[in-house]
Amino acid sequence: QVQLVESGGGLVQAGGSLGLSCAVSGRIFDINPMGWYRQAPGKQRELVADISSGKSINMADSVQGRFTISRDNAKNTVFLQMDSLKPEDTAVYYCNVYGRTWPSGPFGNYWGQGTQVTVSS
C-alpha cells in the first residue's frame, strides 16, 4: 500500500536545471529521513541527499552547492532542485523513505520506481 510517486526527470543540457518531486502515500508513519539516491551506468546506487523531519541534511560532496533538498512534512513530499547540472549527474534517481507501516509494523526502506535524468554535453 505504500507508494512513492516521482516526477520531474528529463533531458537537459549541461548547466541547466531540473526539479524532482516525490509524493509518499499509504499507511506509513514516522517517516524519517526522506531522500534521493541515484544510479549511473556502470556504478552502484549512491546517496545524493536526504533530509530529516527536523530539516537536517546530508548531501554528497559531488552535488554540494548545486543541488537543494527540501520536504513538506504535511504532504509527505520531498523535493530535489538540481542546478548547474553536469553530464556526470546522468543517472536514474530514486526517491527513498524510511518509516513504519500502520499501526505497528517494522521500520524499513521504501523506494520509488526511479526517474531518468540525462544531462547532455
Side-chain angles (χ1 to χ4, degrees):
Q1 291 184 351
V2 177
Q3 198 167 33
L4 284 66
V5 180
E6 302 156 323
S7 62
L11 174 65
V12 66
Q13 294 187 38
S17 298
L18 287 172
L20 305 183
S21 177
C22 175
V24 182
S25 63
R27 292 183 176 271
I28 183 168
F29 300 85
D30 298 330
I31 300 171
N32 194 40
M34 309 178 75
W36 294 90
Y37 289 70
R38 68 185 181 186
Q39 188 165 21
K43 296 184 177 181
Q44 63 184 12
R45 189 175 299 184
E46 64 176 355
L47 173 70
V48 179
D50 64 24
I51 181 168
S52 72
S53 61
K55 306 298 178 68
S56 63
I57 294 170
N58 294 313
M59 186 169 291
D61 291 341
S62 60
V63 304
Q64 186 73 42
R66 299 187 297 116
F67 291 11
T68 303
I69 190 169
S70 61
R71 65 186 285 171
D72 185 334
N73 290 331
K75 297 181 179 180
N76 278 348
T77 302
V78 62
F79 308 92
L80 185 69
Q81 178 64 40
M82 304 183 293
D83 298 320
S84 301
L85 283 162
K86 303 176 180 179
E88 52 262 42
D89 295 318
T90 295
V92 178
Y93 284 69
Y94 297 90
C95 182
N96 170 262
V97 300
Y98 185 81
R100 65 174 179 89
T101 54
W102 186 89
S104 59
F107 283 90
N109 279 298
Y110 296 86
W111 296 91
Q113 292 294 318
T115 184
Q116 178 70 48
V117 172
T118 302
V119 184
S120 64
S121 300

